Amino acid sequence: MKSNFLTPGCSHFGLFRQSLLLAACLWTAQAVAQANDTMTPIAAPDQSNAIELGTGPLPDAKAQESWHSQYGSRFARNVTVATLTPFLPDAKTASGAAVIVAPGGGFRTLSMDNEGWDVAKALAKQGVAAFVLKYRLNQTPADMAAFEQEMAQMFSGTARRPPRPDPAEMVKRLAPQLEDSSAAFALIRKRAAEWRVDPDRIGMIGFSAGAMLTMATTLVGKDAKPAFIANIYGPLAEVAVPADAPPLFVALAADDPFFANGDFGLVKNWQLAKKPVEFHFYEQGGHGFGMYPKETTSTGWFGAFSSWLKMHGMMQPKA
């Protein structure tokens, strides 16, 4: 891998691995605002519309996909086969733009409602085709109690400052996930006519770990070339901005316990590179606010994102 994406001082081995471990805790942060924080095993919901991406099963996986509810949302873990679920707008309102939605969960679970399906449904109502990416995950114990214990152990490391992402580590540590995101872009472009999608107006939005995957797809992914990207409460450490960097939308709460205390070099570097960037830094909202109804201004992120898409011509059909 060429070093043109490397940031000075961020090539120490294992930094990105630490970032992944930190991200593994992020999906539980909503506990401070949600009373129903018990992980309750549930049957897998209907996923008849999900399309397998053809990236194969996760190598050496022992535990199989399982689901649980928490905070009024449904979570998937031990995902071994990647899928893409389309949420298509009415043909009369379709703009031609599309968004791949990457839920968060520390690469160990996926917040499928709050950061996946609910986001996609809201986008489809506004004429944007949305595709929820259920990417392959790092393996966790099949037993729920053991899984909870593993996650609790990781909480002890959440106070560390988020390290800067090393692109070489991205390629190594996120190999399955990067393969899945690239396959998602390829599938949408292949079926663009069927889904009324403009192949040149496909973007990606990610939450927490999904934001990490969105940034990795943009920085080191092969052939994805997103038309626009959104980083929702993901790490904002500086990176070297590629020459073909797409417009970037960022949303973060000032009381986010994980990423608000880091630097905002990502936003600064995008601006210095004279690439379009919009940054919403909400006073309150914590981490993982997603589509949860909260009495904080952070709930306005989706409206701001929609307005941003409109400003960039993504809400109107091409002439």
Side-chain angles (χ1 to χ4, degrees):
M1 174 59 61
K2 296 181 180 179
S3 61
N4 56 318
F5 291 128
L6 288 173
T7 303
C10 70
S11 58
H12 300 293
F13 182 80
L15 280 181
F16 195 69
R17 182 181 182 185
Q18 293 176 15
S19 185
L20 299 188
L21 291 177
L22 171 65
C25 306
L26 302 185
W27 60 278
T28 61
Q30 191 66 25
V32 297
Q34 298 287 332
N36 184 19
D37 62 351
T38 302
M39 296 182 192
T40 304
I42 60 173
D46 176 62
Q47 300 172 80
S48 56
N49 292 334
I51 303 167
E52 290 192 13
L53 283 170
T55 50
L58 186 72
D60 303 319
K62 301 294 188 296
Q64 296 303 304
E65 183 176 315
S66 62
W67 289 69
H68 65 273
S69 63
Q70 191 178 25
Y71 317 132
S73 184
R74 289 172 291 183
F75 295 79
R77 64 187 182 94
N78 289 325
V79 174
T80 61
V81 176
T83 65
L84 194 70
T85 301
F87 289 79
L88 303 177
D90 186 281
K92 297 178 181 179
T93 61
S95 69
V99 183
I100 293 173
V101 182
F107 302 106
R108 283 164 173 76
T109 187
L110 294 174
S111 180
M112 294 301 294
D113 281 318
N114 183 48
E115 298 172 352
W117 298 327
D118 291 348
V119 178
K121 291 172 185 175
L123 286 167
K125 286 182 179 179
Q126 298 196 34
V128 177
F131 300 83
V132 177
L133 175 61
K134 189 177 75 174
Y135 49 90
R136 291 172 290 174
L137 298 172
N138 297 340
Q139 288 271 283
T140 59
D143 177 71
M144 179 62 76
F147 171 64
E148 290 179 317
Q149 182 178 11
E150 178 182 284
M151 300 305 290
Q153 290 174 346
M154 291 186 180
F155 288 146
S156 62
T158 58
R160 70 169 62 94
R161 181 170 176 169
R164 295 174 179 175
D166 181 334
E169 283 289 288
M170 287 182 182
V171 173
K172 180 179 179 181
R173 300 292 178 184
L174 298 182
Q177 293 82 14
L178 283 167
E179 187 179 8
D180 295 342
S181 63
S182 293
F185 275 95
L187 178 63
I188 296 171
R189 290 189 174 115
K190 181 179 179 180
R191 299 179 64 172
E194 173 188 350
W195 288 331
R196 297 184 178 87
V197 167
D198 180 348
D200 296 323
R201 291 198 291 162
I202 305 172
M204 186 171 183
I205 182 172
F207 301 78
S208 192
M212 293 183 186
L213 179 55
T214 298
M215 296 311 304
T217 300
T218 304
L219 298 174
V220 299
K222 295 181 179 179
D223 304 320
K225 305 298 181 185
F228 55 89
I229 54 175
N231 178 327
I232 312 300
Y233 43 80
L236 302 182
E238 65 178 16
V239 299
V241 181
D244 60 349
L248 168 65
F249 179 93
V250 177
L252 181 70
D255 60 351
D256 186 304
F258 304 104
F259 296 130
N261 294 322
D263 63 65
F264 304 145
L266 176 69
V267 175
K268 179 181 178 181
N269 287 9
W270 230 258
Q271 184 182 30
L272 289 175
K274 300 188 184 305
K275 301 298 182 181
V277 58
E278 181 159 329
F279 182 25
H280 292 261
F281 193 45
Y282 297 101
E283 178 186 340
Q284 298 178 36
H287 187 86
F289 47 82
M291 300 297 280
Y292 285 126
K294 298 184 70 174
E295 294 182 358
T296 61
T297 54
S298 61
T299 58
W301 79 266
F302 183 80
F305 178 59
S306 298
S307 296
W308 182 78
L309 288 177
K310 184 176 181 180
M311 182 176 69
H312 281 278
M314 298 297 166
M315 294 294 196
Q316 302 82 27
K318 269 190 174 180

